[in-house]
Amino acid sequence: MSSSTEIADTSENVLSSSDGYSYEDEWWEMNCSIIPPEFNRLMLVGVVGAVIAFISVCFNTFLFVVLCRNPRHRHSHLVYLMFLSVADIFLSAAYILLFPVNLYMDYFASELLAAAWWSYMRIMITISHVFISTSAFLICAAAFERYITISKIACQFARHHRLIIIGACIFIAIIAKGPMYFEFEVVPNANCTGVTSLTAIPSEFSESEPYKTAYKFWFRNLLTVALPFIMCFYLNFAIMHRLRIQHLGAKLFRFATSEHRQNIRAATLMLVAVTCSYLASNLLNVVVYTWELVDKESLLSENIRPLYTLSSDLVSLLTVVASACRLPIYLVCNARIRCEILDYVDNCVLTHLHIKPYSGLGSKRCRATTVRYCDTGSGYMVYDTKQEEVIPSPVAPNKKGERRVRSVGTGLDRVVLSVAMGSIKASQSTTHLTIPLNNNAMIIQEE
């Protein structure tokens, strides 16, 4: 009896120790083991996303330097693009430090990357969200100013107080996203060591009411996700509708299709392209937000959670893609920025690298062509006063060295222009007008 009892006790101790070892192993597997990222996610976020974010940082840094070199941009609508490039620099850099580095530390099981990532994770998440919201507000402000410009609405505040509007955009973004820094804490992960030694948990106040529902869910998401999207969509549609009306009007009056009008239309189309890129990159974010509003628990189910994770990765990636696309959009749509960028490449970059600049392009694309309106009796004509070696032309110059280029407008346009010139003559004898062209700065002198 005693021996059998001892055997039974020994068997029970073995089972209990075996059960204890199994439970401890299962707990360690759930809380302390390193789960390597999937290959597709590693390629999408860790490689493609990192490369696009790096390109975005380079493009927007270059764009910021080019725009800052011209003091006139600080008092024009391009000041929005200047601050937008700064926001894109920060959010693209934050993307690299947050998402790819997080995957690399799990994939390589690097304790050094893990220690660095946990040290800056809270501040980088806050910075990235603040500048994402700032960029959305800046695009809305630029779209609103462009809309009132082409609609000829008298609103001098938007034009004369751009820095105040930009400061308000940054302030609202900080109010909406700044508290994210205090909404979670980095704490030790039980007895885990190495890469999984730390973890993040929600802070106590962030889970309390009404902060969780009223501020985090409704105020923040409506202000930074839904409202900018709706405003940009409406303003974009209104701007395109206004451009269509102007284009139809240009068929009746050829004077309306002048170089100056084309410049205005090009600047407007540039902003329309920027707004469209923002809308396209945030469409998925709005869809995910709407799903969270309707049924958030279904997103955390076993079947939908992988799709939810992929959608979250794509939302961040599309934001960086939109930031990287801004410089190509400016180059294609805006001749003034294209001219300044190419000149900067010629005069600064290629010169310092001892590479021969583009032959003759710098002088041709930024030349200042002086032309004169002259009443010939049958309408106002335009004369180019540039010398033949600067602008080769088959038309021979006259005795004064001037060269006739083209006649402006139809008969009705000449009547309108005659009335305008008559009004100018009543106030002063000689008038100089400056009209920016796509490739030139035209100085118009009326004789």
Side-chain angles (χ1 to χ4, degrees):
M1 290 290 295
S2 60
S3 59
S4 61
T5 304
E6 292 175 0
I7 294 174
D9 293 338
T10 303
S11 302
E12 185 177 356
N13 292 334
V14 170
L15 289 174
S16 62
S17 63
S18 177
D19 292 339
Y21 175 78
S22 176
Y23 173 77
E24 181 181 355
D25 184 64
E26 183 180 356
W27 182 90
W28 183 273
E29 185 71 21
M30 291 179 59
N31 296 276
C32 298
S33 63
I34 301 175
I35 302 176
E38 299 177 356
F39 178 79
N40 293 335
R41 187 165 185 255
L42 181 64
M43 290 294 103
L44 179 65
V45 179
V47 178
V48 177
V51 171
I52 295 176
F54 178 76
I55 293 174
S56 176
V57 171
C58 296
F59 278 5
N60 286 284
T61 303
F62 176 77
L63 180 63
F64 177 74
V65 172
V66 171
L67 293 177
C68 283
R69 291 175 69 244
N70 193 337
R72 292 180 300 175
H73 295 333
R74 303 167 194 170
H75 306 285
S76 69
H77 67 280
L78 295 179
V79 70
Y80 291 114
L81 305 186
M82 189 184 304
F83 280 88
L84 182 60
S85 63
V86 175
D88 290 336
I89 292 170
F90 279 97
L91 69 89
S92 300
Y95 178 89
I96 297 175
L97 295 175
L98 285 174
F99 297 98
V101 173
N102 179 254
L103 294 180
Y104 296 156
M105 78 180 192
D106 290 339
Y107 183 79
F108 297 104
S110 174
E111 297 184 14
L112 179 62
L113 287 178
W117 191 82
W118 286 110
S119 65
Y120 63 69
M121 184 263 296
R122 294 171 66 192
I123 185 65
M124 280 300 161
I125 287 180
T126 306
I127 289 175
S128 64
H129 280 272
V130 166
F131 281 105
I132 288 174
S133 300
T134 300
S135 63
F137 295 150
L138 289 175
I139 293 174
C140 288
F144 175 74
E145 180 177 328
R146 180 53 50 179
Y147 172 73
I148 65 175
T149 298
I150 66 172
S151 301
K152 300 179 181 179
I153 300 175
C155 183
Q156 298 300 325
F157 181 84
R159 298 187 181 94
H160 296 167
H161 299 83
R162 293 186 178 97
L163 292 180
I164 296 178
I165 296 175
I166 292 172
C169 293
I170 298 174
F171 178 75
I172 295 174
I174 293 176
I175 292 296
K177 295 295 184 69
M180 291 184 68
Y181 181 83
F182 306 100
E183 291 178 1
F184 47 91
E185 301 174 352
V186 178
V187 298
N189 187 17
N191 295 325
C192 300
T193 58
V195 176
T196 58
S197 61
L198 298 174
T199 187
I201 60 173
S203 59
E204 184 177 352
F205 90 94
S206 66
E207 297 298 315
S208 61
E209 298 292 347
Y211 182 86
K212 180 179 180 180
T213 302
Y215 178 81
K216 286 177 61 177
F217 190 77
W218 288 104
F219 173 78
R220 176 181 292 167
N221 288 327
L222 286 176
L223 183 63
T224 62
V225 178
L227 182 61
F229 187 87
I230 295 173
M231 285 186 61
C232 285
F233 183 82
Y234 171 76
L235 291 173
N236 211 36
F237 177 80
I239 290 172
M240 294 177 68
H241 178 67
R242 179 65 60 177
L243 285 178
R244 179 174 177 82
I245 294 176
Q246 293 180 356
H247 180 70
L248 293 176
K251 295 181 178 180
L252 298 178
F253 303 98
R254 288 194 298 170
F255 189 73
T257 60
S258 64
E259 299 286 352
H260 179 57
R261 291 295 182 90
Q262 290 179 5
N263 253 354
I264 296 177
R265 189 174 294 111
T268 305
L269 290 176
M270 178 192 68
L271 186 60
V272 168
V274 171
T275 308
C276 287
S277 65
Y278 165 77
L279 293 174
S281 62
N282 280 269
L283 179 60
L284 181 60
N285 190 21
V286 173
V287 172
V288 172
Y289 164 69
T290 306
W291 197 338
E292 291 176 346
L293 187 66
V294 175
D295 187 11
K296 187 175 182 179
E297 294 182 357
S298 64
L299 293 173
L300 303 178
S301 62
E302 185 177 354
N303 296 329
I304 305 298
R305 189 180 181 88
L307 179 61
Y308 183 46
T309 302
L310 177 61
S311 301
S312 301
D313 291 336
L314 288 177
V315 167
S316 302
L317 179 60
L318 290 174
T319 302
V320 177
V321 170
S323 300
C325 289
R326 304 206 204 281
L327 180 60
I329 289 174
Y330 301 159
L331 285 172
V332 172
C333 297
N334 194 292
R336 180 188 300 178
I337 297 180
R338 180 170 64 248
C339 173
E340 294 189 12
I341 289 175
L342 294 178
D343 283 344
Y344 181 78
V345 172
D346 284 350
N347 300 329
C348 298
V349 179
L350 298 183
T351 302
H352 288 307
L353 295 177
H354 303 288
I355 300 175
K356 184 178 179 180
Y358 306 112
S359 58
L361 287 179
S363 60
K364 289 182 180 180
R365 60 174 171 260
C366 289
R367 62 186 179 91
T369 304
T370 302
V371 297
R372 296 180 182 177
Y373 277 125
C374 181
D375 190 0
T376 62
S378 59
Y380 280 86
M381 307 295 290
V382 179
Y383 290 89
D384 192 345
T385 61
K386 284 291 181 178
Q387 300 301 319
E388 185 171 0
E389 60 271 11
V390 179
I391 309 176
S393 174
V395 181
N398 58 16
K399 295 181 180 180
K400 295 182 179 181
E402 299 171 349
R403 184 172 289 107
R404 182 178 298 181
V405 178
R406 64 187 182 275
S407 175
V408 176
T410 62
L412 180 60
D413 297 330
R414 294 172 184 173
V415 173
V416 175
L417 188 56
S418 300
V419 174
M421 288 300 181
S423 301
I424 294 175
K425 287 179 180 179
S427 59
Q428 55 186 4
S429 59
T430 304
T431 303
H432 295 270
L433 302 176
T434 301
I435 299 180
L437 301 181
N438 282 337
N439 297 321
N440 312 318
M442 180 186 288
I443 304 171
I444 299 176
Q445 178 180 353
E446 191 268 326
E447 289 186 335

